[in-house]
Amino acid sequence: MTSVPRIVVLSAPSGGGKTTIAKALRERYPGQFGFSVSATTRKPRAGERDGVDYRFWKPTQFRDGVNQGQFLEHAQYGGELYGTLRSDVEKILESGRHVLLDIEVNGAAQVRKLDQNALTVFILPSDPRVLVQRLVGRGSESREEIRQRLERAIEEISEATLFHRWIRNDGLDQAVQAVLKASDQPVRFVRDPKDLPWMKQYLVDLENERHRL
Ligand code: ADP
Ligand code: 5GP
């Protein structure tokens, strides 16, 4: 690693690929990236393990954690609570590695406010139809949940301007390399001239896709 260890926030609308990219980064570069395992009140999905994918907490335990100041940030998503534990983040930074947070946009805003050295990355496949296909193809949500997640996706994409980097998740290797490189560079806002028109059109096209479902 060439830079001081930092928080690297990966946000994306559901299906954007943040979980896949975070997993690839920590598997391919275990000496450079650790992953903070969030606490959540939502139920585990098939194959998810407590303490590995999430810490599955009861709402009372989560609220106690909030009151005791255990969370660096926390937010609500889909009627459930999600939060990043300070202890996890500190442990990984102390080990000399960047810490990856796979969190939604409100959590990302809290981290940005707390830590000027944190890098925030917004991830999307170039084509909104691919976003929908991946979300549907993952097979972990019902049609109704997918509709709700797309509605939330439109809200989240509207917040993308607050993120330092927009990284397109078309080919996985390319996306992983882009996050790797950005993590070791000074934190700054980087935009390609084509990015803003692309994002504006994205919102229009995704809204159409949502109505088609
Ligand atoms: P998120 O965590 O942002 O909701 P996931 O990482 O679960 O998204 O990705 C959504 C789906 O898209 C998953 O089935 C995943 O395997 C697939 N996927 C992610 N990135 C790519 C990629 N670059 N190419 C093809 N499929 C991908
Ligand atoms: P899922 O239920 O699909 O695993 O996650 C739903 C959303 O919650 C995703 O956008 C994910 O990034 C976000 N999320 C997961 N953990 C946290 C967390 O600790 N804090 C916040 N703010 N969001 C989280």
Side-chain angles (χ1 to χ4, degrees):
M1 175 153 28
T2 52
S3 69
V4 176
R6 62 161 52 103
I7 292 175
V8 178
V9 170
L10 303 182
S11 284
S14 197
K18 55 198 175 301
T19 311
T20 306
I21 291 172
K23 186 163 177 270
L25 280 165
R26 66 185 195 272
E27 282 177 0
R28 295 180 196 182
Y29 306 101
Q32 292 179 62
F33 291 93
F35 180 71
S36 156
V37 180
S38 294
T40 182
T41 58
R42 88 148 159 76
K43 301 273 175 296
R45 292 186 191 128
E48 283 184 334
R49 286 172 298 161
D50 190 22
V52 176
D53 302 288
Y54 278 107
R55 294 177 167 92
F56 295 101
W57 284 10
K58 293 200 164 60
T60 48
Q61 191 181 1
F62 199 103
R63 277 193 290 274
D64 287 347
V66 172
N67 292 335
Q68 289 161 9
Q70 288 184 33
F71 289 108
L72 181 71
E73 62 72 38
H74 65 280
Q76 210 171 0
Y77 181 98
E80 303 290 349
L81 295 164
Y82 295 81
T84 303
L85 289 161
R86 287 181 194 280
S87 52
D88 246 32
V89 171
E90 281 161 12
K91 223 184 302 161
I92 296 167
L93 291 175
E94 277 164 17
S95 75
R97 293 171 300 157
H98 299 312
V99 52
L100 292 164
L101 306 188
D102 166 345
I103 64 178
E104 51 68 70
V105 294
N106 295 318
Q110 293 172 49
V111 173
R112 209 181 289 111
K113 216 168 179 184
L114 281 171
D115 181 359
Q116 304 227 315
N117 193 41
L119 173 73
T120 59
V121 178
F122 197 79
I123 294 163
L124 277 175
S126 292
D127 184 339
R129 283 170 301 186
V130 172
L131 177 72
V132 178
Q133 278 161 15
R134 287 184 186 164
L135 185 54
V136 171
R138 188 171 66 189
S140 51
E141 284 84 19
S142 67
R143 238 336 113 116
E144 187 46 38
E145 280 168 330
I146 288 173
R147 273 200 204 96
Q148 284 166 10
R149 281 179 177 236
L150 287 180
E151 210 169 303
R152 172 85 178 218
I154 290 163
E155 288 167 29
E156 290 178 322
I157 295 168
S158 309
E159 305 273 310
T161 46
L162 301 172
F163 285 74
H164 296 110
R165 305 259 182 170
W166 294 352
I167 288 179
R168 298 185 189 215
N169 178 20
D170 297 326
L172 181 62
D173 289 343
Q174 230 173 349
V176 166
Q177 290 308 311
V179 178
L180 175 69
K181 199 168 158 207
S183 301
D184 283 338
Q185 288 177 350
V187 172
R188 62 196 167 96
F189 285 85
V190 177
R191 295 283 184 268
D192 185 273
K194 293 193 190 111
D195 280 346
L196 209 55
W198 164 64
M199 204 58 108
K200 278 190 179 154
Q201 190 58 42
Y202 211 98
L203 283 169
V204 175
D205 294 346
L206 195 58
E207 185 70 56
N208 289 335
E209 289 298 314
R210 186 171 73 86
H211 286 302
R212 213 168 287 153
L213 266 185

